[in-house]
Amino acid sequence: MNNKKVVAYSSLEMWFHKHMIHFVAFLTLSGLPILSDKFQFIAYAVGYPINYLSGNMNSEHILASGISFLRVIHWASAFIFTGMMIPFIISMFRKFFTLSIWPDRWGIAAIFKGIGEMKKNYIDLEPAEFGKMNTGQKASAWVIVVAMSVIVISGYMLVFRSALTQDLATIARGAHAISFVVLMIVLIVHIYFATHPANKAAYDAMFKTGQMDEEYVKSHHPLWYKKLKKV
């Protein structure tokens, strides 16, 4: 039996992926009450103990304390996360044109074939003709890249909103909110497929070993396997 391993993810990719989950959680929980009044209960939950210690239990002050505290957490998390992204982005740019997010095949027919292969893998639970990533993963990767770019740019614009016109600040806030919603939808779908039983080998590679069995790659990621053998 062939026990040879294939390196699927570098230690940097694994590290970034793991910690991105933490920062997305922090940024989401701290940002929702700032984004919409419907999530003020989060601010109240944070502001209540703060105001209890200060002795001021006025509901308006509780809300204001919660929002202020969450804004600090949101900004701090954003600055740290942005700094954490820099080495990852540099690493990705070095191999930009060989990244797995590019289509293995081009054209409308290739898209439909890719969707059919996803059905075979996730519904029929049969080996499919995938590259390192399937069509859905490639599409979600591009959406995540674009959405996160808009979130970061619009977020920093809002941090320095005093330097913006009112119209520009409104546009930045709208872009921040819309891109966040898009990102959340894609991430939920991404998490579902990432934890699907058919994806266990890739999940273990991303969060545990960084590697896959060569025989598994050959049978479940044949397009990727062919590229590896050409190198």
Side-chain angles (χ1 to χ4, degrees):
M1 182 176 177
N2 184 2
N3 290 319
K4 290 179 67 176
K5 301 289 184 179
V6 171
V7 176
Y9 305 106
S10 68
S11 56
L12 177 60
E13 288 173 310
M14 294 172 66
W15 178 83
F16 182 80
H17 212 89
K18 290 174 184 176
H19 292 294
M20 184 177 73
I21 297 171
H22 303 148
F23 279 99
V24 167
F26 271 115
L27 289 165
T28 300
L29 289 174
S30 61
L32 284 173
I34 303 171
L35 176 68
S36 172
D37 293 345
K38 294 180 180 179
F39 297 96
Q40 284 186 350
F41 66 90
I42 300 175
Y44 275 112
V46 172
Y48 189 90
I50 296 173
N51 278 45
Y52 180 80
L53 294 174
S54 67
N56 187 344
M57 298 305 292
N58 179 282
S59 62
E60 291 184 1
H61 283 89
I62 292 174
L63 177 61
S65 297
I67 291 291
S68 296
F69 182 82
L70 289 171
R71 182 173 282 113
V72 171
I73 296 297
H74 196 73
W75 288 2
S77 298
F79 283 123
I80 295 171
F81 183 49
T82 305
M84 191 181 83
M85 289 171 65
I86 293 173
F88 178 76
I89 292 172
I90 292 173
S91 174
M92 294 300 102
F93 265 115
R94 285 177 176 173
K95 51 184 179 181
F96 184 68
F97 292 106
T98 60
L99 290 174
S100 301
I101 59 176
W102 298 104
D104 294 300
R105 301 186 180 95
W106 295 85
I108 300 299
I111 293 174
F112 283 105
K113 179 173 175 55
I115 294 171
E117 293 298 319
M118 287 180 64
K119 174 185 176 297
K120 184 189 294 186
N121 184 69
Y122 292 109
I123 297 177
D124 301 334
L125 300 180
E126 298 175 0
E129 193 177 7
F130 288 156
K132 184 178 180 180
M133 297 169 66
N134 61 51
T135 300
Q137 291 168 330
K138 292 174 188 287
S140 65
W142 281 107
V143 174
I144 290 170
V145 168
V146 173
M148 287 188 69
S149 298
V150 175
I151 287 173
V152 170
I153 294 170
S154 60
Y156 276 98
M157 289 174 68
L158 291 171
V159 169
F160 303 104
R161 64 166 60 83
S162 59
L164 305 178
T165 64
Q166 184 62 44
D167 288 343
L168 197 54
T170 300
I171 292 172
R173 185 176 177 82
H176 202 69
I178 292 170
S179 55
F180 166 75
V181 172
V182 171
L183 179 64
M184 285 299 102
I185 292 171
V186 173
L187 284 180
I188 290 170
V189 175
H190 178 67
I191 291 170
Y192 170 77
F193 283 107
T195 55
H196 192 284
N199 202 55
K200 186 179 186 306
Y203 179 89
D204 288 344
M206 175 58 79
F207 291 100
K208 296 179 182 178
T209 65
Q211 300 177 330
M212 292 185 193
D213 290 331
E214 187 178 81
E215 286 301 314
Y216 179 86
V217 172
K218 184 177 181 180
S219 61
H220 289 74
H221 300 269
L223 300 180
W224 180 30
Y225 181 78
K226 290 176 183 177
K227 287 183 179 180
L228 291 173
K229 289 304 174 182
K230 287 181 181 178
V231 176

